[in-house]
Amino acid sequence: MPGTFLLGAAVSAGLVWWDLQRSETVEAEVVQVHSWPGDTPFDFWTEVHAPVFAYARPDGSDARVSGGMRHPSLNLPLGSRHVIHVVPGEDRDGIYPGPHIWAHVRVVAALGLVVCLPALWGSWRLRRWLLQ
């Protein structure tokens, strides 16, 4: 099981890295901010926000993307300009830069490391028992 978690973390890290490598950086303006009460144990008593960004594509057409996530710290002022990553030619969420991009990778890797110690101890005990 620890190997599966660590492999999953490596694959997730590779996918995040790939998205960042093939994306282009654009300056976008916050045109809307969705807000609602938090509904997870981590943000239950707070209000979470999800900004919507508008930017101009290279061909001159306008596009809108969401950040693809919600967080209490994303209450960005309307009209403010931010650098985001977008994947050209794909109609999908933009990537708002920051450490949160790698959060799920860190969580899965930490789970793999946490279950690694009991797994190694159990393997050592089983091996000792089998060799007696």
Side-chain angles (χ1 to χ4, degrees):
M1 182 156 55
T4 305
F5 277 116
L6 296 174
L7 179 64
V11 169
S12 289
L15 290 173
V16 170
W17 177 83
W18 177 247
D19 276 347
L20 290 173
Q21 292 304 309
R22 63 193 183 111
S23 69
E24 62 183 30
T25 304
V26 297
E27 187 174 332
E29 180 181 354
V30 177
V31 293
Q32 188 176 8
V33 178
H34 299 285
S35 300
W36 57 89
D39 56 1
T40 70
F42 305 107
D43 60 15
F44 192 68
W45 287 280
T46 61
E47 188 173 25
V48 293
H49 310 281
V52 177
F53 300 95
Y55 71 97
R57 290 187 174 128
D59 65 2
S61 63
D62 290 333
R64 287 183 173 214
V65 295
S66 73
M69 55 174 273
R70 62 188 188 161
H71 193 267
S73 68
L74 290 178
N75 190 13
L76 305 174
L78 292 176
S80 62
R81 300 191 68 78
H82 301 272
V83 173
I84 63 171
H85 298 274
V86 294
V87 179
E90 290 190 18
D91 188 23
R92 55 176 274 187
D93 290 337
I95 303 169
Y96 188 71
H100 59 272
I101 298 171
W102 302 95
H104 68 284
V105 175
R106 290 192 303 264
V107 168
V108 174
L111 286 171
L113 293 174
V114 165
V115 297
C116 192
L117 291 175
L120 288 173
W121 181 80
S123 297
W124 175 74
R125 294 284 298 172
L126 180 63
R127 190 169 173 85
R128 259 185 59 184
W129 179 73
L130 288 173
L131 292 175
Q132 287 181 354

